Amino acid sequence: MRKYVIMGVQGSGKGTQSTLLARDLDLAHISVGDIFRWHVQSHTKLGAQTRRVMAAGELVGDDLVEKVVRDRLEQHDWNYGFIIDGFPRNRRQAEFFLESYDIDGVVHLELPEEEVRRRVLARRLCARCGMDYNLIAHRPKESDRCDVCGGELVPREDDTPQALASRLRDYHDKTNPVLDLFRRKEYVVTVDARPEKVSVQREIRARLGLPPYEP
């Protein structure tokens, strides 16, 4: 059983790299951000609370995040392990996580801030079905229309220059101490996230001692 954490600023490709790793190794891909976005799109009570926080460019509180992660992992659908992205985001969350789960490695995707801004501000979301697009790497066939359902493509509510600047400040203030904690336990492998996705995936696997990736 393998258990990994993947970390990096918004736009660094955590979701893409997690999906590639999870698919080949039979891991459960647990995206905390996707869980919260599902609640927002489904208009749940948690979604309404989350929407207000995300629109302000702030991070969801520790208690709520820890509950969501605990509830998800208690489903025990990860017989061969999991890779979790979007958690932990600060030292308290990291300590909570390490108390509950043994992990095999932490993948840190490193990306310069100018590239973060370029990628994040190009993201689009289908307002009807929720399909993700990126106007740089994953363009729709018809401008501003979803290839799957024809719905309108809109920016994510929290993808504004102001909200992104706030998230980057939070990331550096709160997440860097988490990486320091993991580094002291020798869990962390740092990978340059600028190349195309296949090269990044191959580097991740090489650094973790896993079989090579073959598209």
Side-chain angles (χ1 to χ4, degrees):
M1 182 181 292
R2 297 183 175 103
K3 299 184 286 295
Y4 298 115
V5 171
I6 189 164
M7 301 179 67
V9 291
Q10 292 231 331
S12 59
K14 296 188 298 295
T16 297
Q17 297 303 327
S18 297
T19 299
L20 293 175
L21 204 60
R23 184 182 64 198
D24 284 359
L25 299 178
D26 262 342
L27 306 178
H29 173 207
I30 300 171
S31 169
V32 176
D34 284 351
I35 293 172
F36 280 113
R37 277 188 284 275
W38 179 88
H39 280 282
V40 170
Q41 291 168 3
S42 301
H43 304 289
T44 67
K45 183 178 179 181
L46 174 59
Q49 182 180 354
T50 304
R51 185 171 189 158
R52 290 192 295 270
V53 174
M54 291 171 67
E58 299 172 358
L59 296 178
V60 178
D62 289 341
D63 290 340
L64 194 54
V65 173
E66 288 169 14
K67 180 182 184 306
V68 165
V69 171
R70 188 184 300 110
D71 289 349
R72 175 63 184 86
L73 290 173
E74 284 178 355
Q75 294 178 25
H76 292 293
D77 59 345
W78 38 277
N79 295 334
Y80 297 99
F82 60 76
I83 181 164
I84 186 167
D85 80 70
F87 183 89
R89 288 182 172 173
N90 59 41
R91 190 180 181 91
R92 171 181 154 171
Q93 292 176 4
E95 290 171 346
F96 154 80
F97 194 60
L98 289 173
E99 286 171 3
S100 306
Y101 303 97
D102 295 323
I103 59 173
D104 297 291
V106 176
V107 178
H108 172 221
L109 297 176
E110 197 168 50
L111 194 67
E113 286 196 8
E114 62 270 20
E115 181 64 10
V116 174
R117 284 189 284 271
R118 188 177 81 92
R119 291 185 183 187
V120 168
L121 297 180
R123 296 193 302 195
R124 296 293 184 271
L125 192 68
C126 176
R128 185 182 300 167
C129 73
M131 177 69 73
D132 274 314
Y133 291 86
N134 187 294
L135 301 184
I136 299 169
H138 179 204
R139 300 181 65 89
K141 294 176 183 176
E142 182 182 346
S143 179
D144 297 325
R145 289 290 165 188
C146 177
D147 294 341
V148 176
C149 71
E152 181 185 6
L153 300 185
V154 297
R156 290 186 187 178
E157 192 166 352
D158 56 332
D159 281 354
T160 66
Q162 297 78 11
L164 177 58
S166 177
R167 290 201 301 274
L168 286 172
R169 283 194 301 272
D170 273 334
Y171 178 83
H172 292 301
D173 290 345
K174 297 177 181 178
T175 310
N176 284 346
V178 174
L179 285 168
D180 290 339
L181 175 64
F182 285 144
R183 284 190 183 106
R184 285 199 293 274
K185 296 181 178 293
E186 299 183 348
Y187 288 143
V188 180
V189 298
T190 296
V191 175
D192 184 353
R194 288 174 297 181
E196 49 85 30
K197 65 181 182 182
V198 170
S199 297
V200 174
Q201 179 69 193
R202 285 176 172 156
E203 180 66 13
I204 289 172
R205 295 190 186 207
R207 299 294 304 279
L208 292 175
L210 296 171
Y213 174 65
E214 297 298 336

